[in-house]
Amino acid sequence: MWQGSGKVFIQLASVLLCAFEVAATARRLVVSPTTTFDVRSYGACADGITDNSQAFLGAWNAACSSSGDVMLFIPAGTYFLNPVKFTGPCSNVNTLTFYLKGKLKASTDLRLYDKGDEWIQFGHVKGLTLTGGGTFDGHGSAAWAYNQCPTKKYCHILPVSVKFMSLNDTIVYGIKSVNPKFFHFAVLGCQNFRASKMYMKAPEDSPNTDGIHITRSSGVVIHDSIIKTGDDCVSIGHNTTNVFISEITCGPGHGISIGSLGKYPDEGDVRDILIRDCYMSNTTNGVRIKTWQNSPSSSSVTNITYENIQMSNVGNPIIIDQTYCPDNLCDRDDRKVPSRVSISDVRYKAINGTSASPVAVTLNCSPGIPCQNINLENIQLNYVGGEPSTAFCAFARTRFSGPMIPLPCN
């Protein structure tokens, strides 16, 4: 089943990446669009203290109500910013470039954030480019102590640094994010979203600081980026299709994850995901699919490919975990009911390096809906402790080919 649709998808992903690079280069060359809106002309002050949210909104509204190809320009300097939403539609604008050269500094007063939603939102715009080499500084260290998610299954979520909401044809290039209160970036309900040359950093022990979280989106490319953080470098949520992730350097962090899935009712399926040419170092997981037990409804994960992934001292390099329950947040009843998320047509190819744990491959699938057509090819993962690495399989229909370290499990 995988061979036909999977190969077609890989070819499409390669074409998608090539088209993205051409489009991104073309847009970056447009450094002098028809009209430029400098935030300083709307009262912005780069002293790191003055709240610039209204000045930035004034520049955004002027650019959004303009026409043609426009640019909102933030020059060098540090700009303090309370929560702000840059929203469209921008009906007469062809492309809108948010050129961030300086640093944006987030407020640490959690009372200012609407139910912990986000610090900055870009929403309901077509043809947005975010670039300029600037930095989003979430000042998360002042908020991490208030994060209840590691101890409560249903928790009050802290603000995401930057949320992309319901965008079409978006390019993000050369942007940095440091110390978010929650996720660095969230991509929600977006179509044709391309990000590259990104840099994200947060302490290894910072809670829930996912690098890029993608959900309810399609046609997403994340390419050539460095992510050092306290949670997943990239996480893929429900109702997400056609995602291509490549050349990601990840670590520290929790690896690249699909999930967690199966926590909420009526979650959509995840399919057509290609992750390749990545490097992971000192992460707690490598490539992971995670689903909750006792899922309130059924969903599926299908046509997933991991290819040419290099691991260095990685815990759980390959893992499917359908009993996901961090920090024992599940009650006894939850543990009695298998996950209702079906997993099928997953391919692991050319995954090499070292495992920090003796069990280098874990395929712990749902006894209610066993995993189908899990293919492992040319896997060489040596345990750093010197003993032979092992594999664990439960309720998984697997196929092995080529050299295999660890030895295949049944």
Side-chain angles (χ1 to χ4, degrees):
M1 183 182 295
W2 182 90
Q3 290 183 351
S5 60
K7 289 181 178 179
V8 170
F9 176 63
I10 289 176
Q11 292 172 352
L12 289 175
S14 299
V15 172
L16 195 65
L17 177 60
C18 182
F20 157 58
E21 290 176 338
V22 171
T25 301
R27 278 212 215 163
R28 292 197 303 273
L29 291 174
V30 184
V31 294
S32 299
T34 304
T35 311
T36 298
F37 299 86
D38 190 322
V39 294
R40 294 173 299 184
S41 300
Y42 295 83
C45 177
D47 61 4
I49 300 172
T50 304
D51 174 27
N52 289 286
S53 54
Q54 292 305 310
F56 276 52
L57 271 178
W60 172 270
N61 291 334
C64 185
S65 60
S66 184
S67 60
D69 298 313
V70 299
M71 174 185 288
L72 189 153
F73 179 63
I74 303 99
T78 300
Y79 300 83
F80 179 81
L81 210 61
N82 281 328
V84 62
K85 295 184 178 181
F86 301 112
T87 59
C90 305
S91 302
N92 297 316
V93 170
N94 295 327
T95 62
L96 197 164
T97 299
F98 194 99
Y99 197 97
L100 173 61
K101 191 174 181 180
K103 175 191 287 188
L104 303 188
K105 177 182 173 182
S107 170
T108 59
D109 187 352
L110 295 179
R111 295 171 298 179
L112 298 176
Y113 295 87
D114 182 18
K115 298 181 180 179
D117 198 5
E118 68 270 331
W119 170 33
I120 294 173
Q121 181 192 119
F122 295 96
H124 308 282
V125 178
K126 182 177 181 180
L128 173 72
T129 295
L130 171 60
T131 190
T135 301
F136 294 94
D137 186 347
H139 277 261
S141 59
W144 294 329
Y146 299 99
N147 189 332
Q148 300 175 335
C149 295
T151 58
K152 291 185 178 181
K153 184 175 180 180
Y154 301 101
C155 58
H156 178 77
I157 294 176
L158 292 176
V160 173
S161 272
V162 182
K163 181 182 288 185
F164 302 100
M165 174 76 75
S166 301
L167 302 179
N168 287 286
D169 300 330
T170 306
I171 290 174
V172 182
Y173 180 87
I175 291 295
K176 306 177 187 70
S177 170
V178 297
N179 299 326
K181 296 175 178 65
F182 206 66
F183 300 161
H184 290 263
F185 299 98
V187 180
L188 280 73
C190 294
Q191 308 295 319
N192 299 326
F193 181 96
R194 316 285 187 261
S196 67
K197 299 292 183 181
M198 306 279 283
Y199 180 82
M200 287 149 265
K201 185 176 182 180
E204 185 175 1
D205 60 354
S206 55
N208 298 109
T209 53
D210 292 33
I212 303 176
H213 178 68
I214 307 163
T215 190
R216 303 197 304 272
S217 298
S218 179
V220 177
V221 174
I222 310 295
H223 176 65
D224 191 14
S225 296
I226 298 172
I227 306 173
K228 305 176 180 182
T229 196
D231 210 300
D232 295 327
C233 291
V234 181
S235 57
I236 299 172
H238 78 102
N239 197 18
T240 299
T241 63
N242 296 312
V243 174
F244 182 30
I245 297 169
S246 65
E247 296 184 33
I248 302 298
T249 299
C250 170
H254 293 184
I256 297 177
S257 294
I258 295 175
S260 61
L261 303 173
K263 184 177 181 180
Y264 300 104
D266 303 319
E267 291 186 356
D269 299 337
V270 175
R271 58 179 171 81
D272 300 335
I273 311 295
L274 173 59
I275 299 167
R276 78 178 190 196
D277 304 330
C278 297
Y279 175 71
M280 300 187 191
S281 176
N282 299 304
T283 54
T284 58
N285 300 283
V287 289
R288 175 169 58 158
I289 301 174
K290 49 182 176 177
T291 76
W292 292 80
Q293 295 171 293
N294 196 14
S295 314
S297 57
S298 299
S299 60
S300 68
V301 177
T302 189
N303 196 22
I304 313 297
T305 299
Y306 304 97
E307 184 172 358
N308 191 30
I309 311 294
Q310 301 297 314
M311 308 276 187
S312 177
N313 196 40
V314 170
N316 307 310
I318 295 174
I319 178 169
I320 294 176
D321 181 7
Q322 294 209 260
T323 60
Y324 179 72
C325 183
D327 300 296
N328 297 313
L329 299 182
C330 304
D331 57 32
R332 290 183 180 179
D333 290 337
D334 286 334
R335 295 180 184 279
K336 292 178 182 178
V337 182
S339 176
R340 296 184 180 91
V341 180
S342 67
I343 298 175
S344 64
D345 301 324
V346 181
R347 186 189 193 199
Y348 303 92
K349 181 180 180 181
I351 299 181
N352 305 310
T354 56
S355 172
S357 50
V359 182
V361 175
T362 299
L363 306 177
N364 186 22
C365 297
S366 172
I369 312 175
C371 296
Q372 303 291 324
N373 197 24
I374 310 300
N375 296 274
L376 294 94
E377 179 182 352
N378 296 334
I379 309 298
Q380 298 195 43
L381 295 166
N382 293 289
Y383 174 43
V384 295
E387 302 171 5
S389 59
T390 61
F392 170 81
C393 300
F395 307 104
R397 295 181 181 271
T398 57
R399 297 178 183 176
F400 300 89
S401 61
M404 279 295 304
I405 301 175
L407 294 175
C409 55
N410 293 323

